[in-house]
Amino acid sequence: MCRRAVLTTLTEDNINAVKTFLMDLQDRICQRLEAFEPEIRFHEDAWKRETGGMGRTRVIAGGSVIEKGGVNFSHVKGDKLPPSATADRPELAGGRFEAMGVSLVIHPNNPYVPTSHANVRLFVVQKDGMEPVWWFGGGFDLTPYYGNEADCIQWHQTAFEALAPFGEAYYDRFKKWCDDYFHLKHRGEPRGIGGLFFDDFNELSFDESFAMMQAVGNAYMDAYEPIVAARKDTPYGERERDFQLHRRGRYVEFNLVFDRGTHFGLQSGAGRTESILMSMPPEVKWAYGYAPEAGSEEARLLDYYLQDRDWLGRQAQ
């Protein structure tokens, strides 16, 4: 368990530095994703709330590579923490909060290109009689429909290298946290092949914790871009598309049933419903009792890839 850090000198400069990085990160990610598209670009919906807060929702759809994607920045404030944020920290109930972050989901057209998700964020709580409490969170994870071992290794190697300057133990810890978090308990299966996930992080200094969050945010496109480039032109047909749509159903189930970010956004009233549900795929299928044919490539996704695997062989070290 990480200790609950306090920062008695938390200033607007601290918060503005994080906000500046996050807005720049959003810009850079959108630019690199748009490079895959010959014609379409992100549409921006900038918004403000009278009660405090603003955001830039950016959505791209109908591309030759990206069927639907969203890269959102939000900075929201509230007078009272919602239940999803105080379940593990009841001492903060009733506190005023400030949250900012970049959150994104990319759903490609080609079933051989995985869906990807990433987010990085800062949370600050102030309550009368207490010093300000802050923590960082974030990570990125990959949801393939047709597994590729080289892609999985490259994805996790990039994650490992992003965290290595802060201590090698962080990759192992955040990789396991990701495997545990992105797990559909009612299905008994992982959502994808994992990556990194951390939350409530403040065991380093504010500057070091911020630097680690930056490293994770910057590593996302370094991990995802080569996979998209390598798989986007792979031929596919109706069978692959049908399997992709059924597997997207698992993505929807996780986001609505388990995702803390979705729950926080809807419960807090500080976010915007359209932005919160931006992560949903444009098309999806559910069929009663659906299961891939035994021995097929579709079955191999579940039997081999979706197994919380040690892709870097670090357990043997």
Side-chain angles (χ1 to χ4, degrees):
M1 296 291 291
C2 62
R3 63 181 175 85
R4 182 66 59 196
V6 298
L7 185 65
T8 57
T9 58
L10 185 69
T11 66
E12 286 300 313
D13 288 342
N14 296 126
I15 293 175
N16 287 337
V18 177
K19 185 172 183 177
T20 297
F21 166 77
L22 291 170
M23 296 182 76
D24 178 67
L25 178 67
Q26 183 192 34
D27 290 339
R28 290 185 284 114
I29 290 174
C30 289
Q31 290 167 3
R32 292 174 72 172
L33 289 169
E34 284 180 340
F36 287 110
E37 296 294 349
E39 297 181 3
I40 67 166
R41 294 293 179 262
F42 279 91
H43 166 75
E44 179 173 295
D45 178 15
W47 51 272
K48 291 185 178 180
R49 293 183 64 89
E50 293 182 1
T51 55
M54 54 78 66
R56 302 188 306 193
T57 298
R58 291 182 181 170
V59 176
I60 193 168
S64 60
V65 174
I66 302 172
E67 185 174 2
K68 180 189 175 187
V71 182
N72 293 348
F73 167 79
S74 63
H75 179 194
V76 298
K77 302 176 182 180
D79 293 331
K80 185 178 180 181
L81 282 165
S84 61
T86 60
D88 296 328
R89 51 185 78 85
E91 74 280 5
L92 299 180
R96 302 178 302 279
F97 71 88
E98 184 170 2
M100 64 178 70
V102 167
S103 179
L104 67 95
V105 177
I106 304 299
H107 293 291
N109 285 299
N110 194 315
Y112 288 96
V113 182
T115 285
S116 70
H117 160 260
N119 71 81
V120 284
R121 58 191 176 274
L122 167 67
F123 213 98
V124 179
V125 179
Q126 299 192 51
K127 187 176 180 180
D128 293 343
M130 296 176 59
E131 298 290 350
V133 178
W134 58 267
W135 63 87
F136 288 94
F140 50 77
D141 63 283
L142 195 69
T143 304
Y145 306 99
Y146 289 87
N148 183 288
E149 191 151 356
D151 291 348
C152 297
I153 293 172
Q154 186 271 137
W155 178 262
H156 279 272
Q157 184 64 37
T158 305
F160 173 81
E161 292 171 359
L163 292 176
F166 306 93
E168 291 192 3
Y170 280 123
Y171 167 77
D172 296 324
R173 178 174 154 194
F174 294 169
K175 190 266 185 191
K176 183 180 186 305
W177 201 342
C178 187
D179 290 340
D180 292 344
Y181 180 75
F182 291 104
H183 193 89
L184 284 82
K185 301 177 181 65
H186 61 292
R187 298 282 189 181
E189 65 186 42
R191 187 173 82 172
I193 60 99
L196 301 174
F197 178 83
F198 66 100
D199 201 4
D200 302 337
F201 186 87
N202 52 22
E203 61 195 63
L204 301 176
S205 70
F206 185 91
D207 288 344
E208 291 174 306
S209 299
F210 179 27
M212 190 180 76
M213 184 267 271
Q214 292 177 76
V216 171
N218 289 331
Y220 162 73
M221 279 303 297
D222 291 340
Y224 191 48
E225 195 171 42
I227 297 173
V228 178
R231 310 298 161 206
K232 65 184 179 65
D233 297 319
T234 304
Y236 69 92
E238 292 183 9
R239 174 173 174 164
E240 291 91 341
R241 175 64 172 175
D242 183 72
F243 184 63
Q244 179 195 48
L245 295 183
H246 278 96
R247 291 303 305 174
R248 281 179 175 178
R250 302 292 205 262
Y251 207 91
V252 172
E253 290 175 22
F254 179 87
N255 278 20
L256 293 180
V257 177
F258 298 110
D259 188 75
R260 288 174 60 183
T262 301
H263 293 174
F264 171 80
L266 296 176
Q267 291 175 3
S268 69
R272 298 168 73 249
T273 301
E274 285 297 313
S275 299
I276 296 164
L277 298 180
M278 167 276 304
S279 63
M280 297 303 169
E283 293 188 35
V284 64
K285 281 187 177 182
W286 281 275
Y288 185 83
Y290 176 82
E293 180 182 351
S296 65
E297 282 300 307
E298 292 81 8
R300 182 168 167 76
L301 175 75
L302 281 72
D303 297 339
Y304 180 77
Y305 287 95
L306 302 189
Q307 295 296 324
D308 296 346
R309 194 168 295 279
D310 175 21
W311 294 105
L312 301 184
R314 290 181 51 75
Q315 293 176 0
Q317 294 182 358

